[in-house]
Amino acid sequence: MIRHDILVIGSGLAGLSAALNADPKLSTAVISKVHPIRSHSVAAQGGVNAALANNPAGRDDSPERHAYDTIKGSDFLADQDAAELMCREAVPTVLELEHLGVPFSRFPGGVIAQRPFGGAGFPRTCYAADRTGQVMIHTLFEQALKRNVKLYNEFMVTKLVLRRGRCCGVVAYAYDRGEFVPIRARAVVFAVGGYGRLYLRTTNAYTTLGSGIGLAFQAGLPLKDMEFIQFHPTSLYGKNILITEAARGEGGYLLNNRGKRFMSDYAPKAMELAPRDIVARSIQTEIDRGRGFEDQYVHLDLTHLGREKIMKRLPAIREICIKFAGLDPVETPIPIQPAQHYSMGGIDVGNDCATGVAGVFAAGECSCVSVHGANRLGGNSLLETVVFGKIAGRSASLYVKGCGAGPAGAEKALRDGVRDIEKRVEGWEKRTEGIPIHHFLQRMKVLMTAKAGIFRDRGSLREAVDRVLEMREDYGRVIRTGRNRRYSQEIVNIFEFEHSLKLAEAITRGALHREETRGSHFRTDFPKRNDRRWLKHTLAFLRNGKVELGSKKVRITKYKPEERKY
Ligand SMILES: Cc1cc2nc3c(=O)[nH]c(=O)nc-3n(C[C@H](O)[C@H](O)[C@H](O)COP(=O)(O)OP(=O)(O)OC[C@H]3O[C@@H](n4cnc5c(N)ncnc54)[C@H](O)[C@@H]3O)c2cc1C
């Protein structure tokens, strides 16, 4: 049996940060569905926030201002001590990344360049042109190779095994062997990213179906604030490839079909750089009221920025537009529409990344600390991955050093786990009649986009819950059509979809329950924020296969909830 002290699930920025910050005397491994540099973090474009105060327009910036912007952006649902911790750690963490070799863009004096981003009082987003995630993940991957971190690539974890409330390890599907293998670990760190592919229109990669979070949920860990889904204002119309917020940070305008910069009607001060929830709703409202183009999109106009600035600061955006839309943004406005982008909710953890289960930790997009509350600010997610990834690695190391040999019977529990999984796969294969998995995926995406999208109400959400439950019934008849178990995308999809179903239920039930509007959660039937009833986190528990809801207090330090104005 493979054995490690710490097993990090996920090789994105959070996972690699956790592995690099684990105690080197311990045996740490990273397991991932994909090769590290194909983890979704590679797609991050615009930048990472830290109050370095390098931009001449941001000399008065500070970690406190960063924390305030983050908490206000969160519509006051973030836990304030967690946001303060992240913003305090931002400056040393970004400098550490620089020292590790991340090639940030520079101002003429040589310091790290910073650009304005939405909802930020100062230009504090550090960047590497519009390829920030790519350079960060390459740097951390190089460091992982240098330090001989053991990597298991193309392994999908299919079960978290616990015994007597403690971590034993995982069962994973090894793509190349077509087998299910037990991996013993005294601590596990979930760094499994988000679940954007539950939606039809999303900027997320095809790998983001949420199986990782679903595994934790299945094992009894509660999920927090799942109803808060971020819709990014600017994805390329039709393709939904992200057009980074940096395009607006560099001065891009949003225009409707009358040529008006319509953000003046919604956020007269911040304009295009209001937080994402506000800009996405404004765009959708313009489209819904007939002021879009072809009833589908508005324009993001960069033409006034000039060729040189676009080539220097937004080269990848230009390439995306040329390749995928056949237009050059130097000359032509970009057609854009909102699309699912980020998951604020996730595995409930404390500031030390510990869950309620001994030996299980979580960091990055899959976790909910909560630093983003009801709406994440651009540039704060990359920051969260590196700050909390580091904390998770350290917390898991401390735990392992004090936990002894782990629960008795752990290896037997793991072997039993493998047998369980084998039986399930055989069940799908033995069935002669049933529903192939591809029938489900599209059904889910259409449903979530139509009924649990930017605007929701009781009727749409009730219907969404009912239809998710119907799909769950039908999933009981899922059939495996192929027989080869090596590199089987069908096996991957069937496992992942089971988890997508549970997450969809947690999202829609949470959204139906929360009768207010806060951040990204806009209820047309309850259009105001209601702190008296709803200034609390939603917790979702899976009990006997059913999703049940509870709540948890929001931690407030010094920032009194106020109405958000931009
Ligand atoms: C297009 C795009 C651009 C973005 N730009 C920015 C930006 O400029 N600034 C910013 O702050 N944020 C940005 N974000 C958000 C940010 O990039 C992500 O939130 C962040 O990178 C997530 O990192 P992560 O390490 O948590 O997860 P990921 O990088 O998504 O990694 C998840 C890992 O988990 C693995 N995994 C998942 N399930 C399993 C399983 N069952 N078994 C084994 N492995 C599993 C995957 O293989 C992967 O390695 C952007 C997001 C998108 C989609």
Side-chain angles (χ1 to χ4, degrees), residues 9-15 31-36 39-49 117 132-133 137 155-158 191-194 203-205 207-208 210-212 215 242 244 276 341-342 363-366 376-383 385 496:
I9 314 176
S11 59
L13 286 168
I31 184 167
S32 172
K33 289 193 297 193
V34 297
H35 186 277
S39 290
H40 199 38
S41 294
V42 76
Q45 299 174 347
V48 52
N49 294 338
F117 248 50
T132 313
I137 196 110
F155 275 72
M156 183 177 75
V157 176
T158 51
V192 288
T203 61
N204 285 200
T207 50
T208 57
S211 66
L215 293 168
L242 183 74
T244 172
R276 289 177 177 174
H341 181 63
Y342 185 80
E365 189 170 342
C366 71
R376 169 176 79 86
L377 293 189
N380 268 354
S381 173
L382 289 183
L383 178 61
T385 63
E496 298 236 61

Side-chain angles (χ1 to χ4, degrees), residues 277-350:
D277 57 329
I278 294 174
V279 183
R281 276 197 295 276
S282 309
I283 293 172
Q284 197 57 50
T285 304
E286 290 296 300
I287 295 170
D288 292 349
R289 297 198 177 149
R291 294 192 290 268
F293 299 87
E294 300 173 42
D295 290 336
Q296 298 284 343
Y297 59 86
V298 296
H299 277 154
L300 172 61
D301 190 358
L302 309 184
T303 54
H304 56 286
L305 302 183
R307 173 178 292 272
E308 200 186 325
K309 191 168 185 180
I310 293 175
M311 302 289 271
K312 193 164 169 213
R313 305 268 178 90
L314 302 164
I317 290 302
R318 179 167 182 257
E319 201 179 325
I320 286 168
C321 291
I322 291 171
K323 281 193 179 148
F324 293 93
L327 64 88
D328 185 346
V330 170
E331 293 156 3
T332 314
I334 310 169
I336 56 91
Q337 63 184 170
Q340 190 287 346
H341 181 63
Y342 185 80
S343 331
M344 265 78 71
I347 303 166
D348 179 30
V349 290

Side-chain angles (χ1 to χ4, degrees), residues 1 3 171 182 410-420:
M1 189 178 291
R3 292 179 188 84
V171 176
E411 299 208 351
K412 178 174 179 309
L414 284 161
R415 281 191 293 271
D416 291 347
V418 172
R419 265 193 296 278
D420 275 0

Side-chain angles (χ1 to χ4, degrees), residues 421-476:
I421 299 277
E422 289 277 5
K423 261 198 216 144
R424 294 191 48 206
V425 179
E426 281 160 20
W428 307 331
E429 288 172 348
K430 273 189 196 142
R431 232 167 251 153
T432 48
E433 275 180 26
I435 313 172
I437 190 65
H438 61 268
H439 286 284
F440 291 97
L441 297 172
Q442 189 71 0
R443 218 168 124 192
M444 165 74 80
K445 290 170 190 199
V446 171
L447 173 69
M448 293 299 283
T449 302
K451 305 293 173 189
I454 298 184
F455 296 109
R456 304 123 179 237
D457 64 23
R458 184 180 289 142
S460 73
L461 291 166
R462 185 70 263 167
E463 191 183 336
V465 172
D466 291 345
R467 285 172 53 193
V468 169
L469 294 180
E470 270 168 37
M471 257 187 271
R472 219 172 66 175
E473 280 286 304
D474 292 348
Y475 177 80

